[in-house]
């Protein structure tokens, strides 16, 4: 793409919004290159990028172009597909409502039935709505926990999961043939009145109620709040979409001592009270911890802006507030669902737990020790949802799906991460252990004593800029051609290459893996530890996962540290 000629085309475009015109007029040569040297790529994760003018930015034109491609895809599937139509949702980010209105309008003017949420909603409710209304597609305007400069465009298939490779390729092909500026003349076409006139159906309270009903059906202990009636929960939605439904579902489950962080209950795409709205980062909970100290609460729950991921802060016996990692919460919930579910009679006959290849190895141990079926998938809930369907076809019921990056799903109402349901289960989990005289920190230690000590760390190596993808490709090629023989003095016993789907042992033997066609390398060490390396699917960075285990806490942590340092050295 010739960035200068594309920049000139944008600069001369009639009807360009003032905000984009100002940005274009002030661009430096380097900024022109960054904004126009490529198109924002569309894939199974949809679109995600910095907002602003340019082909490599999220803006009204890239949204309209992509939506037209989806409309063409639906029309190609026939009249019945157009009647099933699409549902459109958005989060709290700057421009999210604006982009959602454009998406709804472009679909409607191209003959597709559209249901548009009347305001921001959690991502899991969008997944639910696609399934509930029998839609052909779902569109969600969100960039999850990314910084405030970003927005995104996620596309869901008829099963409520993010689209697969074939659907993404078909939409991408149509998008490449769609003119960026030909989808509308003025944003006035997307006012509420114009959308209603075009046939767009606004949905809201009735869908919320149907969603909450399904969420509450996932409860494991019927009167969990009664186990710890004085338990106080501090909640923050980080200015996002969890602000209404999370407190409501907790109230309906009987948890009446819910203390909301008022400053963060206000929807705001600038996220003014946090450096980053990421529940993985304990720094974002600074304000919530102040609330917890004042209230004397042992438990803090936080949901990210689109309420698909959940973070958890607990108070230890020494009074310090610490975070429970995504892996640790996955283990705690696995144990709780099996133990409490068996006691309440709500555990299905063939329960299954599904997680990803980069998540804690302890989940398998706890699941199988309790007689459950364990399933593994690649990173991302679209892969987890495929494994859910596969196990359901075999007569199993997925009682918990999770990934280490703080995403959880229980129940069959959705096919994406669901922080609303997870918040309810976390409250139950805390009450269950409080009735036993245990904090969640203490309960986790008890599980480690029982099943062995596990420790995990995720490291991110950022590779920004237009050449970031090229850098990541070179790194992965080098690791394939020259795989390390040891990490921290521990020999590599086998290398799993998930692109062809093979495991090659140090002695030259090779076997086929169940999973393949993903750019992931896993190094299995002689002491049972694993080092997994993969490029991120949504951000310009390489992700490294170190999974360690040992007979004691100190042994597991020492192995983790050795492997992490070796991985850092290997990757420069």
């Amino acid at each position: 793409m010739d960035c200068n000629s594309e920049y000139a085309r944008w600069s001369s475009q009639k009807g360009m919004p003032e905000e984009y015109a100002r940005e274009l007029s002030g661009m430096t040569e380097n900024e022109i290159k960054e904004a126009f040297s490529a198109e924002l790529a569309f894939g199974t994760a949809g679109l995600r990028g910095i907002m602003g003018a340019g082909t490599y930015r999220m803006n009204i034109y890239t949204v309209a172009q992509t939506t037209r491609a989806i409309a063409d895809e639906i029309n190609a599937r026939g009249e019945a597909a157009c009647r099933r139509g699409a549902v459109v949702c958005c989060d709290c980010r700057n421009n999210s409502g604006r982009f959602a209105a454009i998406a709804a309008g472009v679909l409607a003017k191209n003959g597709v039935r559209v249901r548009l949420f009347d305001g921001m909603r959690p991502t899991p409710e969008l997944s639910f709505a696609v399934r509930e209304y029998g839609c052909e597609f779902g569109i969600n305007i969100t960039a999850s926990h990314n910084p405030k400069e970003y927005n995104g465009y996620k596309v869901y298939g008829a099963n409520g999961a993010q689209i697969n490779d074939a659907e993404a390729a078909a939409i991408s092909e149509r998008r490449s043939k769609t003119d960026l500026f030909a989808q509308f003349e003025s944003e006035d076409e997307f006012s509420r009145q114009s959308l209603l006139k075009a046939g767009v159906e606004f949905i809201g309270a009735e869908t919320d109620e149907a969603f909450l009903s399904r969420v509450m059906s996932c409860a494991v202990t019927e009167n969990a709040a009664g186990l710890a009636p004085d338990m106080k929960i501090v909640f923050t939605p980080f200015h996002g979409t969890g602000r209404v439904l999370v407190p409501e579902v907790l109230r309906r489950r009987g948890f009446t001592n819910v203390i909301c962080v008022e400053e963060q209950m206000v929807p705001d795409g600038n996220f003014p009270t946090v450096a980053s709205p990421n529940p993985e980062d304990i720094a974002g909970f600074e304000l919530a911890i102040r609330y917890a100290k004042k209230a004397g609460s042992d438990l803090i729950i936080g949901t990210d802006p689109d309420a698909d991921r959940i973070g958890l802060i607990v108070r230890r016996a020494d009074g310090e507030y610490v975070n429970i990692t995504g892996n640790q919460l996955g283990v705690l919930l696995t144990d709780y669902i099996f133990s409490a579910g068996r006691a309440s009679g709500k555990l299905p006959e063939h329960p299954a737990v599904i997680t990803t290849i980069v998540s804690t190895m302890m989940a398998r141990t706890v699941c199988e020790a309790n007689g459950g079926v364990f399933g593994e998938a690649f990173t991302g809930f679209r892969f987890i949802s495929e494994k859910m369907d596969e196990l359901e076809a075999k007569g199993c019921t997925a009682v918990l799906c999770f990934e280490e990056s703080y995403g959880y799903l229980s129940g069959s109402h959705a096919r994406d991460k669901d922080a609303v349901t997870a918040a309810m289960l976390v409250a139950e989990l805390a009450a269950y252990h409080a009735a036993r005289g245990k904090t969640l920190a203490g309960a986790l230690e008890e599980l480690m004593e029982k099943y062995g000590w596990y420790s995990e760390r995720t490291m991110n190596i950022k590779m920004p800029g237009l050449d970031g993808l090229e850098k990541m490709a070179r790194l992965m090629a080098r690791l394939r051609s020259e795989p390390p023989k040891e990490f921290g003095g521990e020999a590599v016993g086998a290398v799993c290459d998930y692109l062809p789907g093979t495991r090659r042992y140090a002695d030259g033997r090779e076997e086929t893996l169940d999973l393949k066609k993903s750019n992931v390398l896993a190094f299995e060490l002689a002491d049972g530890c694993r080092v997994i390396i993969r490029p991120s699917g949504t951000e310009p960075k390489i992700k490294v996962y170190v999974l360690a285990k040992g007979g004691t806490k100190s042994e597991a942590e020492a192995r983790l540290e050795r492997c992490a340092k070796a991985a850092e050295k290997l990757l420069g």
Side-chain angles (χ1 to χ4, degrees), residues 420-431:
V420 181
T421 303
M424 178 187 73
L425 292 177
V426 164
E428 287 188 24
L429 168 73

Side-chain angles (χ1 to χ4, degrees), residues 290-356:
R290 280 189 234 158
Y291 269 71
K293 287 179 177 178
K294 183 177 180 180
S297 170
D298 293 333
L299 178 65
I300 303 170
I301 294 173
T303 56
D304 68 344
D306 66 324
D308 66 344
R309 301 194 312 144
I310 186 171
L312 192 61
I313 307 293
V314 300
R315 185 165 58 178
R316 290 192 314 214
D318 62 4
E320 184 180 354
Y321 287 88
V322 296
N323 73 311
I324 296 291
T325 70
N327 281 315
Q328 291 168 345
L329 180 54
V331 169
L332 283 165
L333 286 173
T334 297
D335 175 75
Y336 168 68
I337 289 170
F338 277 102
S339 301
R342 191 172 285 117
S344 67
K346 295 200 69 175
L347 192 68
E349 186 177 358
H350 301 293
V353 172
I354 303 170
T355 186
T356 68

Side-chain angles (χ1 to χ4, degrees), residues 205 208-213 216 222 245-256 424:
D208 295 341
E209 195 58 42
F211 174 66
L212 285 174
S213 176
M216 293 183 67
E222 286 302 327
L245 296 190
V246 171
E248 177 61 16
V249 78
L250 292 176
R251 184 191 67 78
R252 293 188 185 192
R253 293 298 301 144
F255 295 100
T256 55
M424 178 187 73

Side-chain angles (χ1 to χ4, degrees), residues 8 15 36 68 93 160 230 293 364 387 467 516 526 546 548:
F36 290 98
R68 174 58 188 271
R93 287 179 176 271
D230 298 324
K293 287 179 177 178
R364 178 188 290 272
K387 183 62 70 171
D467 61 344
K516 62 180 179 179
V546 183

